[in-house]
Amino acid sequence: MRNSLLDRFRGAGGAAGSSPGAGTFRADFTASLVVFLVAVPLCVGVAVASGVPAELGLITGIVGGLVTGLLPGSSLQVSGPAAGLTVLVYEAVQEYGVAALGVLVLISGLLQLAMGALGFGRWFRAISLAVVQGMLAGIGLVLIAGQLYALGDMKAPSSGLDKIFGIPGLIGDVAGSSDSLTAVAIGVGTILVLVFWPRFKQGAKVLPAPLAAVMLATIATVSLDLPIARVEVKGLLEAIQPPGLGEFTQLTEVGMIGTVLAFTLIASAESLFSAAAVDRLHDGPRTEYDKELMAQGAGNAVCGVLGALPMTAVIVRSSANVFAGAKTKLSRILHGVWLLVFAVLFPSALGIIPIATLAGVLVHAGWKLIPTKELLPLWRERRGEAIILIVTAGAIVTTDMFEGVIIGLLLSVIKTAWETSHVHIDVTGRDDADEDQPIKVRVLGNATFLRLPKLLDELEALPRERVVELDLRGLRHVDHACEMALATWTERHNAVVSHAEPVEEDTKVPA
């Protein structure tokens, strides 16, 4: 099955390792146009949902093509603004202002460069998949909740919980406004096109679903002169807002530092997990994770200098690139060129796009972030992982992005520690007729504070009138808390055995 899949990609020109030539250039040129058509509505939609000018989304897409696309790491992965960071960016813009966005993105990019140079790229693969899926699910839920308001041309509340609890009131407000009902109709129509367009094979070959959905909704809005909100256009140069010295002073705030760390963690994890997924789609060169992390960092540093949105590798664009037959990184570079040409020559085209249709695109994107198909099998087979996924998603909805991810990571660490802390007590001499002989207790396995209650319960069940010799040499690992607790218990237990003669305890811990 895998060979047939690879053969299909080869037939489409999708082998990333092909030798350069006219055929390779033609395949990359065609693929770049497909990726460009997919990227335009997503770049604009993510920017609008993030609360920044639409052009900033295009700038990030351009940098993703022309800067990150040129650098080594992953040959077919395409970078740009991602729906996965929309919620966090929106919160940061509301809290610190658009001008501070450049500082956040710049510092995050520099951190990614440093981590890549120090070889941390490969370690991101060690992050629990349940945490990543929970992170994306939480982002998807908050994104959908927020974009439901945009579907009706309404202003969304700031927090995730307020967005969810405000939905009943939103339904009432929309029902009482004909203009809002019109906007909802356009947004829902956009979602339906996104869902059903890929089933029309011929149409999907000509136009990607996101572009077809936006074009059809825009044509309907303009031709019928519908009274709904549309994208505001500033112009490419006017939208660029490099951070000033004043914005850098905000880095002394704890909240700013937390946001930088959240940007760095989420953007890096999403990019490298996307790289792993894209590697499964082709038989060309594999991703070099440290170099890819540095490429993402360089792109984000440039985006920060320009005051644009943060970037990640985006699986939607990357898979479109592979399926369109791309062979080398030229396709993603050219897609950046087409974005630049579009932003410079046709900026006014953005001004006729309804906000409701972009909301529909992001509702669809948010739904795809939620692992609906994987959750039930995961619950049946690995319930602990499913719980981590659900708790992480719920924490993001109820608190914020950074705290939710930290909660998920801590829960994952605790679960792993619990599962690896297998400890066993071997007791000899309990039933000896001579009560003057000590009971010998040998502890085996991994003793950590998580298993300490179990250990102490078993020790407390030993006869109180007998001396206990505790042997810890069979432990592969014992943490300090557990070692001290066991030694203290043994000392106190033997102290109250008044009739026992002193015995030499062996509490040597293996190195």
Side-chain angles (χ1 to χ4, degrees):
M1 183 175 181
R2 181 177 181 273
N3 289 336
S4 63
L5 184 64
L6 295 176
D7 290 338
R8 177 152 58 93
F9 287 139
R10 290 191 189 101
S18 302
S19 59
T24 300
F25 177 80
R26 184 163 50 250
D28 287 334
F29 183 86
T30 303
S32 71
L33 292 174
V34 172
V35 178
F36 160 70
L37 295 176
V38 172
V40 169
L42 291 176
C43 287
V44 176
V46 169
V48 172
S50 300
V52 301
E55 292 84 353
L56 291 184
L58 291 174
I59 291 171
T60 299
I62 293 167
V63 174
L66 299 183
V67 177
T68 305
L70 278 168
L71 297 175
S74 175
S75 58
L76 298 184
Q77 184 162 255
V78 183
S79 301
L85 283 171
T86 301
V87 176
L88 187 59
V89 173
Y90 179 83
E91 293 174 353
V93 169
Q94 296 301 308
E95 180 73 21
Y96 307 109
V98 178
L101 181 61
V103 175
L104 294 168
V105 179
L106 173 60
I107 302 302
S108 296
L110 294 177
L111 286 175
Q112 286 180 308
L113 279 167
M115 289 191 301
L118 294 172
F120 281 93
R122 68 194 67 181
W123 285 101
F124 273 89
R125 291 179 290 177
I127 296 177
S128 168
L129 182 59
V131 174
V132 176
Q133 288 181 315
M135 175 190 74
L136 295 177
I139 292 169
L141 289 171
V142 177
L143 182 60
I144 290 171
Q147 292 309 302
L148 289 177
Y149 293 83
L151 280 176
D153 283 348
M154 301 283 185
K155 182 175 177 57
S158 57
S159 73
L161 278 179
D162 289 340
K163 289 183 176 75
I164 293 173
F165 290 143
I167 289 176
L170 170 67
I171 294 173
D173 293 339
V174 169
S177 171
S178 59
D179 289 349
S180 293
L181 286 172
T182 302
V184 168
I186 290 294
V188 172
T190 301
I191 296 172
L192 292 175
V193 173
L194 287 167
V195 172
F196 292 106
W197 186 264
R199 300 186 182 184
F200 299 101
K201 303 296 184 183
Q202 296 302 320
K205 288 181 180 179
V206 177
L207 285 178
L211 186 65
V214 171
M215 286 183 62
L216 290 173
T218 302
I219 291 170
T221 301
V222 173
S223 60
L224 299 175
D225 194 23
L226 299 178
I228 58 178
R230 306 182 190 184
V231 176
E232 296 181 8
V233 180
K234 287 186 176 181
L236 196 64
L237 294 178
E238 291 80 0
I240 296 176
Q241 299 184 41
L245 293 177
E247 280 71 44
F248 283 93
T249 60
Q250 292 181 278
L251 287 173
T252 57
E253 300 180 24
V254 175
M256 278 281 279
I257 296 173
T259 303
V260 167
L261 294 176
F263 273 16
T264 306
L265 173 65
I266 295 169
S268 301
E270 189 170 344
S271 294
L272 298 181
F273 272 92
S274 173
V278 173
D279 279 351
R280 298 189 187 102
L281 298 179
H282 65 87
D283 61 345
R286 305 293 92 182
T287 297
E288 299 179 72
Y289 285 89
D290 293 330
K291 291 182 179 179
E292 178 63 17
L293 185 56
M294 293 183 70
Q296 296 293 327
N300 273 317
V302 174
C303 287
V305 171
L306 298 176
L309 291 171
M311 76 164 59
T312 71
V314 187
I315 189 62
V316 175
R317 277 166 251 183
S318 302
S319 59
N321 190 39
V322 174
F323 286 120
K327 294 184 177 182
T328 70
K329 64 176 63 179
L330 179 63
S331 61
R332 61 185 191 177
I333 297 170
L334 287 176
H335 119 274
V337 174
W338 310 142
L339 284 174
L340 178 61
V341 171
F342 175 82
V344 172
L345 299 182
F346 308 106
S348 59
L350 300 177
I352 62 174
I353 299 176
I355 289 179
T357 195
L358 296 178
V361 170
L362 290 174
V363 166
H364 182 259
W367 178 256
K368 293 175 72 174
L369 290 175
I370 303 173
T372 52
K373 294 181 180 179
E374 295 87 352
L375 185 56
L376 190 57
L378 189 63
W379 180 264
R380 288 196 296 257
E381 298 169 9
R382 295 180 176 272
R383 187 156 299 182
E385 295 293 308
I387 291 173
I388 291 174
L389 190 158
I390 294 170
V391 170
T392 303
I396 288 173
V397 172
T398 55
T399 58
D400 58 38
M401 184 75 59
F402 183 68
E403 292 181 12
V405 171
I406 294 299
I407 289 171
L409 289 173
L410 289 176
L411 191 60
S412 178
V413 170
I414 292 172
K415 171 183 170 291
T416 302
W418 176 261
E419 290 179 345
T420 57
S421 296
H422 295 293
V423 67
H424 171 68
I425 290 182
D426 185 12
V427 180
T428 57
R430 186 204 298 260
D431 300 324
D432 287 350
D434 187 359
E435 293 187 356
D436 290 336
Q437 293 299 315
I439 297 174
K440 296 182 178 181
V441 178
R442 191 176 182 216
V443 187
L444 308 170
N446 298 294
T448 69
F449 69 94
L450 294 173
R451 298 291 183 175
L452 186 55
K454 175 178 181 273
L455 282 172
L456 293 178
D457 286 344
E458 293 192 35
L459 291 174
E460 290 290 349
L462 296 174
R464 296 181 179 274
E465 67 280 1
R466 302 277 298 277
V467 172
V468 173
E469 288 184 0
L470 192 62
D471 182 1
L472 304 182
R473 289 177 296 179
L475 288 173
R476 292 188 296 272
H477 169 76
V478 56
D479 63 21
H480 181 68
C482 202
E483 180 185 5
M484 293 301 297
L486 293 175
T488 301
W489 181 91
T490 308
E491 181 180 349
R492 289 179 178 175
H493 175 87
N494 292 337
V496 300
V497 184
S498 57
H499 65 276
E501 296 180 0
V503 289
E504 184 179 349
E505 296 180 20
D506 186 359
T507 57
K508 183 180 180 181
V509 180

